[in-house]
Structure formats: C-alpha cells, structure tokens
Amino acid sequence: GQSLEQPSEVTAVEGAIVQINCTYQTSGFYGLSWYQQHDGGAPTFLSYNALDGLEETGRFSSFLSRSDSYGYLLLQELQMKDSASYFCAVGAHGQNFVFGPGTRLSVLP
Amino acid sequence: EAGVAQSPRYKIIEKRQSVAFWCNPISGHATLYWYQQILGQGPKLLIQFQNNGVVDDSQLPKDRFSAERLKGVDSTLKIQPAKLEDSAVYLCASSLEDNEQFFGPGTRLTVL
C-alpha cells in the first residue's frame, strides 16, 4: 500500500518562511505534487517534482529526495492569503494517485 | 479556458436515497478523476478514467457507487443507496498528465 505523512498544523507570521514536510511510502514512485486548498474551495496545483532537487515557482519552492522518500514545500514572504491547507500527493506506477492528510497553515499578522 | 464544471454544488438527501453528480472536464483532457473528500482529510481517489476507459477503481465502493464516462467527455458519479458516512465533498478533476490535475468546485453532499 501507500502512505503519506504531513504535520497536521503549522503556524507562522506574515513575511516569514515556512516549510511543510511530507514523507511517503510507496513502490513504483514517479512523482510528488503539492496542492493548496482554501476552506470551502477546490485544491489547486502548486508544484511537481519527479527528480531530486529544488523546484522554484515565485514565492513557493518544492524539494524532493527520492532516496529519503521525502519532500517539502517552502513558502517564502508569507501573506495572509497563504492561510490554507496544503496537501502532498504521490503518483506511483500501478497504484492509484494518493493525497496526504494535509497540513493546515495559519498565517498570523 | 473554461475550468472543470460540476453540478449540483450542494445536495441534501436522506439515507437510502439515490444521488447523481455530473462533471464536465476541461476540453481536451483525456484523464478524469472522481475524489471523495471528508471534512479535515485529503481527497481520496474513487475512480480514474482515461478517455472512456477505467484506469483505477480500486477504492470505489462498488456495491453502492457507480461511475461512467460516456464518449470520453462528461462523467457521472452515482450513489445508490446513500449512507450517512457518504457525507462529503465529491471532487472531479481532469488532467493531461497526472502531475497537474485541475479540480472543479465540488459537490457537497449531506446525507441525513
């Protein structure tokens, strides 16, 4: 089977940097995605890592270490609108696409 | 570009009743997904279509849930009969590739 772990909650202040970790267990792994979901809204795609290393997209960056079955989402220059739930999701050959339990980020003024 | 459309947005039914949800994916997206998201949890994949064929339905409770994607475009998800534990948001998504899925607004189902 597959499993993903994320911290349930993270709190930070505006302008700060926060890192949301994700560890996974699966066979046939081919990629790790990150999605943002505001309360009452639909998940929206943030980033995707298939290879080891850091991918940067504006204020958001995502990192993957395939050997450690670990990734993280880095959010810089936090804004109030970044308060949301963040999900990592794993794609694996021969297995269904799986989302993690989500990390609820609260950004304080 | 129009996004993924879903209807209805909200539905309230009593247990043992039937309900159906509709999804229209982004034009040209061959892959369509139905997810169930219970409050406070991540989305759980119910079924994945590639065009009009089923790629994965391993987590679909087939005794009560069914889905179809006729002509490889629109899709419907049906629950018959509904149980209290089916109360959730049902999300439809579509994609060109697995790594970037586009989600519709979802249907919030309440089973009383």
Side-chain angles (χ1 to χ4, degrees):
Chain A
Q2 298 172 286
S3 68
L4 292 92
E5 290 187 8
Q6 304 178 235
S8 57
E9 293 183 6
V10 173
T11 301
V13 296
E14 267 189 302
I17 299 173
V18 71
Q19 179 174 311
I20 298 174
N21 298 321
C22 173
T23 58
Y24 60 87
Q25 287 188 326
T26 187
S27 56
F29 173 88
Y30 64 73
L32 184 72
S33 303
W34 287 92
Y35 287 80
Q36 178 193 60
Q37 186 177 32
H38 287 98
D39 285 348
T44 56
F45 174 81
L46 293 176
S47 67
Y48 173 74
N49 295 72
L51 303 176
D52 286 358
L54 192 69
E55 295 281 343
E56 298 182 66
T57 309
R59 294 188 298 114
F60 293 2
S61 303
S62 59
F63 173 83
L64 175 65
S65 169
R66 295 174 67 114
S67 60
D68 294 323
S69 297
Y70 163 77
Y72 65 73
L73 180 69
L74 191 72
L75 297 85
Q76 302 182 74
E77 302 173 16
L78 279 175
Q79 302 175 9
M80 297 294 290
K81 67 178 181 179
D82 297 330
S83 292
S85 292
Y86 292 84
F87 297 92
C88 58
V90 161
H93 296 291
Q95 306 206 47
N96 53 281
F97 200 77
V98 176
F99 278 78
T103 299
R104 189 172 184 86
L105 171 64
S106 298
V107 180
L108 305 177
Chain B
E1 176 182 86
V4 176
Q6 288 188 248
S7 68
R9 293 295 310 279
Y10 305 91
K11 189 74 177 178
I12 300 174
I13 62 173
E14 295 189 349
K15 60 183 180 183
R16 292 188 289 273
Q17 285 188 320
S18 302
V19 65
F21 313 127
W22 173 82
C23 173
N24 187 7
I26 292 173
S27 177
H29 282 192
T31 308
L32 184 147
Y33 315 77
W34 282 103
Y35 290 89
Q36 179 193 61
Q37 186 173 27
I38 293 171
L39 188 64
Q41 299 182 17
K44 171 188 167 186
L45 181 67
L46 294 176
I47 188 167
Q48 178 180 342
F49 292 96
Q50 181 79 15
N51 295 308
N52 61 347
V54 175
V55 173
D56 188 318
D57 64 357
S58 57
Q59 298 193 105
L60 187 73
K62 298 180 186 62
D63 58 333
R64 298 185 300 107
F65 286 64
S66 64
E68 60 182 10
R69 191 183 184 195
L70 300 177
K71 302 179 181 178
V73 182
D74 292 9
S75 177
T76 56
L77 176 70
K78 297 179 181 178
I79 308 175
Q80 180 179 7
K83 293 185 176 182
L84 295 177
E85 60 261 35
D86 297 333
S87 292
V89 176
Y90 290 84
L91 295 162
C92 178
S94 69
S95 71
L96 287 174
E97 298 176 358
D98 248 1
N99 54 305
E100 183 172 1
Q101 298 179 26
F102 296 84
F103 284 81
T107 297
R108 184 176 298 276
L109 174 67
T110 302
V111 182
L112 302 175

